Short mmCIF file of all heavy atoms in Angstrom, two decimals:
data_model
loop_
_atom_site.label_atom_id
_atom_site.label_comp_id
_atom_site.label_asym_id
_atom_site.label_seq_id
_atom_site.Cartn_x
_atom_site.Cartn_y
_atom_site.Cartn_z
N ASN A 1479 215.02 -24.60 245.53
CA ASN A 1479 214.62 -25.07 246.84
C ASN A 1479 214.81 -26.60 246.93
O ASN A 1479 214.45 -27.31 246.02
CB ASN A 1479 213.15 -24.73 247.06
CG ASN A 1479 212.76 -24.85 248.51
OD1 ASN A 1479 213.52 -24.50 249.37
ND2 ASN A 1479 211.57 -25.35 248.73
N PRO A 1480 215.36 -27.15 247.98
CA PRO A 1480 215.94 -26.41 249.10
C PRO A 1480 217.30 -25.86 248.75
O PRO A 1480 218.02 -26.44 247.94
CB PRO A 1480 216.01 -27.45 250.21
CG PRO A 1480 216.22 -28.73 249.48
CD PRO A 1480 215.45 -28.59 248.18
N ILE A 1481 217.69 -24.78 249.40
CA ILE A 1481 218.99 -24.18 249.13
C ILE A 1481 220.09 -24.84 249.93
O ILE A 1481 221.27 -24.62 249.64
CB ILE A 1481 218.98 -22.65 249.32
CG1 ILE A 1481 218.64 -22.27 250.74
CG2 ILE A 1481 218.05 -21.97 248.32
CD1 ILE A 1481 218.79 -20.78 251.03
N LEU A 1482 219.70 -25.65 250.91
CA LEU A 1482 220.71 -26.36 251.71
C LEU A 1482 220.12 -27.75 252.05
O LEU A 1482 219.02 -27.84 252.54
CB LEU A 1482 221.02 -25.60 253.00
CG LEU A 1482 222.21 -26.08 253.81
CD1 LEU A 1482 223.51 -25.79 253.08
CD2 LEU A 1482 222.24 -25.37 255.16
N SER A 1483 220.89 -28.79 251.79
CA SER A 1483 220.46 -30.16 252.07
C SER A 1483 221.57 -30.87 252.86
O SER A 1483 222.72 -30.47 252.79
CB SER A 1483 220.22 -30.93 250.76
OG SER A 1483 219.17 -30.34 250.05
N PRO A 1484 221.20 -31.94 253.59
CA PRO A 1484 222.24 -32.66 254.30
C PRO A 1484 223.21 -33.34 253.32
O PRO A 1484 222.86 -33.58 252.16
CB PRO A 1484 221.46 -33.73 255.07
CG PRO A 1484 220.12 -33.82 254.45
CD PRO A 1484 219.88 -32.51 253.76
N GLN A 1485 224.41 -33.58 253.80
CA GLN A 1485 225.40 -34.28 252.99
C GLN A 1485 225.42 -35.72 253.51
O GLN A 1485 226.04 -36.02 254.53
CB GLN A 1485 226.76 -33.65 253.12
CG GLN A 1485 226.79 -32.23 252.57
CD GLN A 1485 228.15 -31.56 252.74
OE1 GLN A 1485 228.99 -31.96 253.53
NE2 GLN A 1485 228.38 -30.51 251.98
N GLU A 1486 224.67 -36.58 252.84
CA GLU A 1486 224.44 -37.94 253.33
C GLU A 1486 225.68 -38.75 253.60
O GLU A 1486 225.70 -39.59 254.48
CB GLU A 1486 223.52 -38.67 252.37
CG GLU A 1486 222.11 -38.05 252.32
CD GLU A 1486 221.23 -38.73 251.32
OE1 GLU A 1486 221.59 -39.80 250.80
OE2 GLU A 1486 220.15 -38.16 251.06
N ASN A 1487 226.75 -38.52 252.87
CA ASN A 1487 227.99 -39.28 253.05
C ASN A 1487 228.94 -38.61 254.05
O ASN A 1487 230.09 -39.02 254.17
CB ASN A 1487 228.70 -39.50 251.72
CG ASN A 1487 227.85 -40.34 250.79
OD1 ASN A 1487 227.15 -41.26 251.22
ND2 ASN A 1487 227.90 -40.04 249.51
N HIS A 1488 228.48 -37.60 254.72
CA HIS A 1488 229.29 -36.85 255.69
C HIS A 1488 228.65 -36.99 257.06
O HIS A 1488 227.62 -36.36 257.33
CB HIS A 1488 229.40 -35.39 255.25
CG HIS A 1488 230.34 -34.58 256.02
ND1 HIS A 1488 229.99 -33.42 256.67
CD2 HIS A 1488 231.64 -34.77 256.31
CE1 HIS A 1488 231.05 -32.93 257.29
NE2 HIS A 1488 232.05 -33.73 257.10
N ILE A 1489 229.20 -37.81 257.93
CA ILE A 1489 228.57 -38.19 259.19
C ILE A 1489 228.09 -37.00 260.02
O ILE A 1489 226.95 -36.98 260.50
CB ILE A 1489 229.48 -39.10 260.03
CG1 ILE A 1489 229.57 -40.47 259.35
CG2 ILE A 1489 228.99 -39.26 261.45
CD1 ILE A 1489 230.57 -41.44 259.93
N PRO A 1490 228.87 -35.90 260.21
CA PRO A 1490 228.41 -34.82 261.08
C PRO A 1490 227.11 -34.12 260.62
O PRO A 1490 226.42 -33.53 261.42
CB PRO A 1490 229.56 -33.81 261.07
CG PRO A 1490 230.76 -34.63 260.75
CD PRO A 1490 230.25 -35.69 259.79
N GLU A 1491 226.78 -34.20 259.32
CA GLU A 1491 225.52 -33.62 258.87
C GLU A 1491 224.82 -34.59 257.90
O GLU A 1491 224.12 -34.18 257.01
CB GLU A 1491 225.71 -32.25 258.25
CG GLU A 1491 226.65 -32.17 257.10
CD GLU A 1491 226.69 -30.76 256.50
OE1 GLU A 1491 225.77 -29.98 256.67
OE2 GLU A 1491 227.72 -30.49 255.86
N GLY A 1492 224.97 -35.87 258.21
CA GLY A 1492 224.41 -36.90 257.33
C GLY A 1492 222.94 -37.06 257.41
O GLY A 1492 222.29 -37.57 256.49
N HIS A 1493 222.31 -36.69 258.51
CA HIS A 1493 220.87 -36.87 258.65
C HIS A 1493 220.07 -35.60 258.34
O HIS A 1493 218.99 -35.67 257.77
CB HIS A 1493 220.50 -37.33 260.06
CG HIS A 1493 219.05 -37.58 260.22
ND1 HIS A 1493 218.43 -38.69 259.68
CD2 HIS A 1493 218.08 -36.89 260.85
CE1 HIS A 1493 217.15 -38.64 259.96
NE2 HIS A 1493 216.90 -37.56 260.68
N GLY A 1494 220.61 -34.43 258.68
CA GLY A 1494 219.81 -33.23 258.46
C GLY A 1494 220.62 -31.96 258.44
O GLY A 1494 221.68 -31.84 259.05
N ALA A 1495 220.11 -30.99 257.70
CA ALA A 1495 220.63 -29.61 257.67
C ALA A 1495 219.38 -28.73 257.64
O ALA A 1495 218.71 -28.66 256.63
CB ALA A 1495 221.50 -29.39 256.45
N PHE A 1496 219.07 -28.10 258.79
CA PHE A 1496 217.80 -27.40 258.87
C PHE A 1496 217.83 -26.32 259.94
O PHE A 1496 218.82 -26.11 260.61
CB PHE A 1496 216.64 -28.39 259.11
CG PHE A 1496 216.86 -29.36 260.23
CD1 PHE A 1496 216.41 -29.08 261.49
CD2 PHE A 1496 217.53 -30.55 260.00
CE1 PHE A 1496 216.58 -29.99 262.56
CE2 PHE A 1496 217.72 -31.46 261.03
CZ PHE A 1496 217.26 -31.17 262.30
#
Side-chain angles (χ1 to χ4, degrees):
N1479 195 40
I1481 60 173
L1482 191 69
S1483 297
Q1485 296 178 342
E1486 294 177 11
N1487 296 325
H1488 188 235
I1489 290 173
E1491 58 176 337
H1493 183 73
F1496 50 94

